Amino acid sequence: MDRSGQDRRSTVGVWVGNLPGPLALLNRFSITRYLLASIVSLAFDVALFMVLVAFASDPGWASAAGYSAGIVVHWLISSSFVFPGKTREGAALQLQRVGFIATAILGLGITVSIVSWLTDLGTLPVIAKGAAVFVSFFAVYLTRKFGVFR
């Protein structure tokens, strides 16, 4: 509940908040909600990528399409479940969406930079990608929490 006594949670947020015991903790902290949103978004990203590659699509275009789909899914989840009551209206909503996309590009840049740097140093690509995902996740989360959805 916010200061006015209104519950700002989405329908999903209310449902998750009413789960028994430790499962209700999923809704308590924005970082856990953000982690769930990221997992769901990544699943959409990878699923679309795999489908497009299976139909002989260029892997570069397939990864761009998957990543873009993941951004859309993440926006829908973030604006209604991760940061409820923080979505703007009108022109401010458009600015918020631009900020969200900018943070997605920031995350992509962090990921590419770390993977390139670590693999140049001889690190296995899968380990480099894991490190990049970890750093990118927190950088983008903090930027969205304190910037886009403040």
Side-chain angles (χ1 to χ4, degrees):
M1 298 235 187
D2 67 9
R3 291 182 196 142
S4 68
Q6 285 185 307
D7 192 345
R8 299 182 326 178
R9 295 180 297 174
S10 66
T11 304
V12 174
V14 170
W15 180 79
V16 172
N18 289 330
L19 289 172
L23 294 177
L25 286 176
L26 295 174
N27 196 42
R28 175 121 168 85
F29 303 103
S30 64
I31 188 76
T32 56
R33 294 190 309 266
Y34 189 82
L35 179 60
L36 289 171
S38 295
I39 291 168
V40 171
S41 300
L42 181 61
F44 273 84
D45 175 346
V46 172
L48 181 57
F49 171 77
M50 303 274 293
V51 167
L52 292 174
V53 168
F55 285 102
S57 179
D58 174 71
W61 285 106
S63 72
Y67 188 82
S68 298
I71 291 170
V72 171
V73 170
H74 211 299
W75 165 263
L76 294 171
I77 296 170
S78 290
S79 62
S80 65
F81 176 63
V82 178
F83 304 109
K86 303 284 185 168
T87 305
R88 312 278 194 289
E89 294 181 9
L93 174 61
Q94 300 312 317
L95 186 60
Q96 190 176 47
R97 287 179 179 158
V98 167
F100 190 87
I101 291 168
T103 59
I105 293 168
L106 170 71
L108 179 61
I110 290 170
T111 300
V112 170
S113 298
I114 290 175
V115 169
S116 297
W117 175 63
L118 289 176
T119 54
D120 284 348
L121 292 175
T123 306
L124 291 173
V126 69
I127 293 171
K129 176 69 171 170
V133 166
F134 180 80
V135 173
S136 174
F137 173 84
F138 284 104
V140 172
Y141 166 72
L142 291 171
T143 305
R144 287 178 177 168
K145 179 173 179 152
F146 296 111
V148 177
F149 290 103
R150 68 179 184 284

